[in-house]
Amino acid sequence: MLNRDLLRIERDAVRQATGVLTAANDAAESNEQRDARARDLLAEIVDSSPEGSRLDDDSFDAVIQAGINDLYYLGPIEELLPDTTISEIMVNAPDDVWVERSGLLQKTPVTFEDDEHVKFVINRIASADGRRCDEAQPLCDCILNRPGAIFNGSRVAATAKGIAVDHNILNIRKFRPDAVEPEDLMALGTFDQRMLEFMEAIVLGRMNVVIAGGTGSGKTTLLNACSSFIPDNQRIVTIEDAPELRLQKPHVVRKTARRPNIEGEGEITIRQLVIHALRERPDRIVVGECRGGEAFDMIQAMMTGHEGSLTTVHSSNAREATTRLRSMIQQTGTEMRSEQIMELIASAIDFIVFVNRFDIDGSRKITEIAEVQGMQGDVITIGTIMRFEQTGFSEDGKVLGEFMPTGERITPAHREKLFARGVYVDDDFWFRR
């Protein structure tokens, strides 16, 4: 990573090289050939400058590689993208770049020259996805397009200076290309063997499951893992606003929403995709995240023969997930009263799995598996079946605790539905081992 002095040398070389390389551009050459030509030119420019000629070999190579990244890739953050331990990259200012690594935020020594440098990288990302981020459209949500790269498909959110008070802001939530198995998460301490067995039972038994949690809590990762319990002979339709789900199943139809183009046309919403999916004979519908009116259609799908569907919602606990769904349904302009909507939700949703990220050590754990038991008056009744009880911290600051049942058994209605589908939930689930 370049310090300020090396960055100045690199940026001066890039400015000199840009015009020459643009004039000599050959559309037929490969990226490797293009990079090699740029590397030779940058090396010549840097070596001929008074400051560049005094650089040691490592600094010289770092400046040239940074120049390649600025010319054709994503500048100073390019070296962060292949790092599989980094899940998020946050550019708050030219000299204020952070990453999330293993659930914890860390400041990096990565530095941009100035706000224009950050803006240039934002525009490169946005334009590759047919988007823009400028004074006219200062908020940009798009996808990072780099075919073949492990981070291809990562979510990008950018805010142009003006709306962002001090500096242009860039946030990249890196896409995880590998499928995560439930056993992998269990090894990380996300849940224990009994929780795994219970989640397998409710997915196999075609219960409608909502995975809830805060931002960055691992909802999509858990949804991916839970999908492995779906039988191979079932047709699954996945619907997302960015293609993050990786269901390792033989019969999966994947769909992603499409944002409007620069002219404001061509938008395809998640809600449209949910409605359309109902005509495609799905056994299960998996919506990556409900965040708007699609919640209404998802709930209706769950009640009309598409049992065993899964989705995620943002919430701070399991109970709040139901009120979040109610708010989303109300956004559709429905004339249904609040209690009618809650009755609809209570009839459709069977279980809520809440996953939490602990700030102290960045670990992610299922802290509650709750059953939606019905209505009591105008309130949905939620029964916590299993939970994580924190007991303290280890010497190295890790969260300590125990996954355990609460002793509350699932309702006879759910037990009968599971049994009718060949899934028997043993009484051993409800007792401490």
Side-chain angles (χ1 to χ4, degrees), residues 129-131 137 258-269:
D129 195 38
R131 302 286 179 264
Q137 294 186 21
R258 185 174 68 192
R259 297 174 180 82
N261 59 21
I262 294 176
E263 289 76 30
E265 300 175 345
E267 181 180 22
I268 301 294
T269 66

Side-chain angles (χ1 to χ4, degrees), residues 29 32 47 54 58 107 124 142 153 190 201 214 232 235 286 290 292 365 374 391 431:
E29 67 182 351
E32 290 76 14
D47 197 40
R54 294 194 292 269
D58 289 343
K107 189 171 182 179
R124 177 166 283 171
C142 62
T190 305
D232 288 348
R235 175 177 168 87
V286 178
C290 278
K365 300 181 186 297
T391 57
F431 298 100

Side-chain angles (χ1 to χ4, degrees), residues 197-255:
E197 292 170 5
F198 187 74
M199 288 188 292
E200 181 177 15
I202 61 178
V203 173
L204 273 175
R206 300 197 67 158
M207 299 291 103
N208 293 320
V209 179
V210 170
I211 296 174
T215 301
S217 59
K219 298 185 298 298
T220 302
T221 300
L222 182 58
L223 178 59
N224 258 323
C226 286
S227 69
S228 67
F229 301 134
I230 299 174
D232 288 348
N233 62 351
Q234 294 182 4
R235 175 177 168 87
I236 309 165
V237 177
T238 69
I239 298 169
E240 307 170 82
D241 62 354
E244 293 183 295
L245 293 175
R246 284 290 183 271
L247 274 59
Q248 303 300 302
K249 293 294 167 182
H251 197 164
V252 179
V253 177
R254 304 174 67 207
K255 297 186 178 186

Side-chain angles (χ1 to χ4, degrees), residues 278-354:
L278 299 177
R279 304 168 186 152
E280 298 179 322
R281 199 227 169 267
D283 289 302
R284 305 197 191 215
I285 298 174
V286 178
V287 176
E289 182 180 342
C290 278
R291 57 176 68 176
E294 64 272 5
F296 196 7
D297 304 289
M298 184 72 184
I299 292 295
Q300 290 183 315
M302 289 174 170
M303 296 181 63
T304 55
H306 301 92
E307 296 173 313
S309 295
L310 301 98
T311 190
T312 73
V313 299
H314 280 273
S315 74
S316 57
N317 54 58
R319 177 170 291 281
E320 192 199 7
T322 61
T323 58
R324 286 276 296 163
L325 287 168
R326 179 189 62 191
S327 298
M328 295 175 201
I329 292 173
Q330 288 173 328
Q331 291 173 18
T332 65
T334 178
E335 296 181 358
M336 296 175 65
R337 299 191 309 275
S338 176
E339 57 268 27
Q340 290 176 311
I341 296 174
M342 294 303 265
E343 287 176 3
L344 192 70
I345 293 169
S347 299
I349 304 297
D350 297 307
F351 290 91
I352 299 170
V353 179
F354 185 79

Side-chain angles (χ1 to χ4, degrees), residues 103-166:
L104 296 175
L105 295 181
Q106 301 174 357
K107 189 171 182 179
T108 74
V110 171
T111 302
F112 288 79
E113 182 180 33
D114 51 27
D115 267 312
E116 285 301 309
H117 195 188
V118 177
K119 182 180 178 181
F120 180 81
V121 171
I122 291 173
N123 287 337
R124 177 166 283 171
I125 296 171
S127 60
D129 195 38
R131 302 286 179 264
R132 54 190 286 193
C133 186
D134 51 28
E135 187 175 340
Q137 294 186 21
L139 302 178
C140 177
D141 291 312
C142 62
I143 303 300
L144 200 163
N145 286 286
R146 186 77 65 80
I150 59 173
F151 49 82
N152 181 52
S154 297
R155 290 185 179 184
V156 179
T159 309
K161 189 177 178 181
I163 296 299
V165 176
D166 300 310

